[in-house]
Amino acid sequence: MAGSDSGGPANPLRSERDRRLPRIAGPCSLVIFGVTGDLARRKLLPAVYDLANRGLLPPGFGLVGFARRDWSDEDFAAEVRSVVEKHNRTGFRPEVWDRLAEGIRFVTGTFDDPEGYTRLAETLSGLDTDRATAGNHAFYLAIPPNAFPVVCEHLSASGLAQDTNGHWRRVVIEKPFGHDLDSAKELNDIVGAVFSEDEVFRIDHYLGKETVQNILALRFANQLFEPIWNSNYVDHVQITMAEDIGIGGRAGYYDGIGAARDVIQNHLLQLLAFVAMEEPISFEPEQLRAERIKVLSATRPAQPLDETTARGQYGGGWQGSEPVVGFADEPGFSPGSTTETYAAITVDVGTRRWGGVPFYLRTGKRLGRRVTEIALVFKRAPHLPFDQTMTEELGQNALVIRVQPDEGVTLRFGSKVPGSGMEVRDVNMDFDYGSAFTEASPEAYERLILDVLLGEPSLFPDREEVEASWRILDPILEYWAAEGKPDTYPAGSWGPTSADEMLGRTGREWRRP
């Protein structure tokens, strides 16, 4: 019958929630431990302001800093404003700042000081009354990993970790989450004794990047790619995170950690999981996590490790036009340190989709340029109608997902060179986020902080994922520990020769982004 709703498609306006529309956090407060540190100043505080400027924070919102400084609320607000004016993404607007500043508080205390937590409880109770934050509180631990246990214990002892009358509590934990499988399990147990698993948000800022999330859209929203996203067509996969900077003043953190623990265990293995996972039933958090865990559980280091891994330390040289010192000459490091600044590993994903396809993961300091990318390199075509001279300048087709700094996707394929002869060369078809969309991509921490306040865990690794990642990496770290000092590579290069040999043994070579 004309005009009747029966039998027709559901009205999208009547759906429970249109996923195209942004979600706004409900009344709550965010407590940042280590608020005077570099992470909070450069990333977290600007991200909170940018969320407010985009209208994604509620009128009832509180921002609380916890640190040793003897600051008043006004002192802290002035410090936050100076940071926000310098590092915000969306433009500083005084009216937005004034609304945010009304909910800014500061608590003086040390991580092991019970009285500091008593003052924090009083401050949060005051925000519940003054700002209507409804008893909902998130605790962001932007602190060294060795301080996680003492902060969690005091949050528990003070009653701050307990949710009451339907109010929620959440804790955000920065990497590294442990330094091997055993320490990760121990830390999980400590945090799990205070917070339930659905209250724990282990943050990996790479998963907040738009291009990482676009992997799901690229694969599952397009019929073009998914049919060839498998071992029938893909020769190998390269996942690269290269930095052109050195260690700088991070000796206290980096020595004994190294490139593999710092980057491969979390960032690169999570990128691998997004690339190699099967299509989830839905994009609900439990479904996404289940598929990532399946992939990580099926992933193993390729053998033998002396041929499928490589590591190095950068030496002195030139970075651009500037002379730079080698790792052993950086302040705070022992010349005999065996900590690697470059790590490359080969892993096999033992699923039907990826059987026989090596995944090469590499990361390093003082490399040729700053870039993070995922490259699916396809098998060569048989070139049956062509003689060798027609295709001698043709490489392998590749689909490259650029995570940073120039976010986008590049497809490399062969095309005929203009002219009377038949010659085929590589050309690129390029999609660039900056030119395709009028709105700039939000910073990763904006998305992730908002997800914490919404209780949306899709982009946060859970306990099982973290432990699965360590199971992959631990055998490699144990092997390296017995091998002595890493190879040396020149600053500004693309790593040690052993890394090139690693791929060269199978007739492959690294991309030079």
Side-chain angles (χ1 to χ4, degrees):
M1 179 178 177
S4 171
D5 288 337
S6 61
N11 186 339
L13 297 178
R14 296 180 183 176
S15 63
E16 182 177 345
R17 180 171 69 85
D18 189 335
R19 291 182 179 271
R20 295 169 299 177
L21 301 177
R23 296 173 65 190
I24 300 173
C28 60
S29 60
L30 176 66
V31 181
I32 301 179
F33 288 84
V35 75
T36 57
D38 189 55
L39 173 65
R41 295 170 62 85
R42 289 191 305 108
K43 297 294 185 180
L44 305 185
L45 296 174
V48 170
Y49 167 82
D50 287 327
L51 286 173
N53 204 14
R54 294 166 59 201
L56 298 177
L57 294 183
F61 178 76
L63 174 63
V64 182
F66 186 99
R68 288 179 294 182
R69 304 289 175 89
D70 187 20
W71 281 344
S72 66
D73 294 344
E74 292 75 19
D75 293 334
F76 179 52
E79 185 72 15
V80 176
R81 176 167 181 160
S82 68
V83 169
V84 164
E85 287 181 333
K86 183 177 181 181
H87 295 293
N88 78 85
R89 181 184 66 87
T90 56
F92 187 81
R93 292 196 294 162
E95 63 274 20
V96 172
W97 167 255
D98 290 343
R99 289 196 300 270
L100 182 65
E102 291 175 3
I104 290 181
R105 305 287 187 272
F106 186 79
V107 175
T108 300
T110 59
F111 299 152
D112 58 353
D113 175 21
E115 294 183 2
Y117 294 86
T118 300
R119 291 190 291 272
L120 177 59
E122 293 170 352
T123 298
L124 292 177
S125 177
L127 284 171
D128 289 342
T129 301
D130 300 338
R131 298 284 291 169
T133 50
N136 299 321
H137 309 304
F139 304 99
Y140 199 121
L141 308 190
I143 58 179
N146 59 11
F148 293 164
V150 67
V151 172
C152 287
E153 289 165 7
H154 280 287
L155 287 174
S156 177
S158 63
L160 285 167
Q162 283 71 49
D163 54 353
T164 56
N165 301 322
H167 307 148
W168 53 256
R169 300 288 189 272
R170 293 168 191 150
V171 63
V172 185
I173 298 178
E174 276 280 348
K175 74 173 186 73
F177 203 79
H179 58 85
D180 58 15
L181 178 58
D182 289 340
S183 61
K185 286 182 175 179
E186 181 181 359
L187 188 53
N188 275 326
D189 289 341
I190 291 170
V191 175
V194 178
F195 296 93
S196 62
E197 182 60 30
D198 63 353
E199 295 173 327
V200 180
F201 290 75
R202 299 168 185 84
I203 203 161
D204 182 345
H205 71 273
Y206 260 61
L207 300 190
K209 292 181 178 293
E210 286 287 338
T211 39
V212 173
Q213 298 163 51
N214 191 45
I215 296 171
L216 300 178
L218 188 73
R219 290 186 58 188
F220 304 127
N222 298 290
Q223 183 67 8
L224 178 63
F225 299 114
E226 188 63 11
I228 59 172
W229 207 275
N230 55 60
S231 61
N232 293 328
Y233 300 94
V234 177
D235 177 76
H236 68 278
V237 179
Q238 297 184 23
I239 303 179
T240 298
M241 178 183 164
E243 297 181 274
D244 56 6
I245 59 172
I247 302 304
R250 301 177 68 212
Y253 164 78
Y254 202 84
D255 198 17
I257 298 293
R261 288 185 173 96
D262 190 39
V263 174
I264 291 180
Q265 183 271 331
N266 39 73
H267 299 333
L268 300 196
L269 285 174
Q270 283 291 321
L271 293 180
L272 178 148
F274 272 84
V275 170
M277 65 186 277
E278 295 300 317
E279 183 175 1
I281 297 171
S282 70
F283 287 145
E284 294 301 316
E286 60 274 13
Q287 301 298 336
L288 281 170
R289 281 177 163 178
E291 297 303 334
R292 296 201 303 259
I293 289 170
K294 286 180 186 177
V295 167
L296 293 173
S297 299
T299 301
R300 297 288 184 271
Q303 300 293 332
L305 295 180
D306 62 332
E307 296 182 2
T308 61
T309 69
R311 62 185 180 132
Q313 290 179 352
Y314 63 81
W318 292 83
Q319 198 80 50
S321 60
E322 297 290 330
V324 295
V325 300
F327 174 79
D329 297 318
E330 294 275 13
F333 286 97
S334 165
S337 172
T338 60
T339 300
E340 81 281 354
T341 62
Y342 178 98
I345 68 173
T346 312
V347 297
D348 295 324
V349 179
T351 64
R352 184 181 295 272
R353 179 188 291 267
W354 295 111
V357 177
F359 281 70
Y360 299 111
L361 281 57
R362 63 171 169 169
T363 182
K365 304 281 188 182
R366 290 275 184 231
L367 297 182
R369 61 171 296 211
R370 173 178 173 262
V371 62
T372 300
E373 67 170 35
I374 302 161
L376 281 80
V377 181
F378 292 91
K379 295 179 178 179
R380 292 185 182 276
H383 297 161
L384 294 178
F386 303 89
D387 64 40
Q388 185 174 356
T389 60
M390 295 176 180
T391 59
E392 63 185 359
E393 295 188 36
L394 180 64
Q396 291 171 268
N397 298 154
L399 179 67
V400 182
I401 301 167
R402 304 191 308 274
V403 178
Q404 68 174 19
D406 304 314
E407 295 91 343
V409 180
T410 297
L411 182 63
R412 185 180 71 189
F413 58 94
S415 179
K416 180 185 176 298
V417 178
S420 58
M422 173 59 77
E423 181 184 357
V424 184
R425 293 183 189 171
D426 288 327
V427 295
N428 289 332
M429 183 181 295
D430 192 64
F431 154 67
D432 179 70
Y433 260 90
S435 59
F437 298 106
T438 56
E439 182 178 352
S441 298
E443 281 287 327
Y445 279 101
E446 291 176 48
R447 169 67 187 268
L448 296 175
I449 289 174
L450 181 61
D451 279 356
V452 170
L453 302 181
L454 292 169
E456 168 56 68
S458 298
L459 298 177
F460 297 84
D462 68 2
R463 174 175 186 150
E464 197 171 351
E465 285 181 81
V466 169
E467 294 179 5
S469 297
W470 281 118
R471 287 191 185 94
I472 297 167
L473 194 60
D474 268 5
I476 298 172
L477 295 174
E478 292 169 6
Y479 168 74
W480 285 348
E483 288 297 299
K485 195 168 183 179
D487 300 331
T488 300
Y489 61 94
S493 70
W494 280 99
T497 56
S498 57
D500 293 326
E501 293 167 357
M502 184 181 106
L503 266 68
R505 291 186 181 96
T506 61
R508 300 182 175 99
E509 60 183 21
W510 290 109
R511 284 175 45 80
R512 294 293 188 261

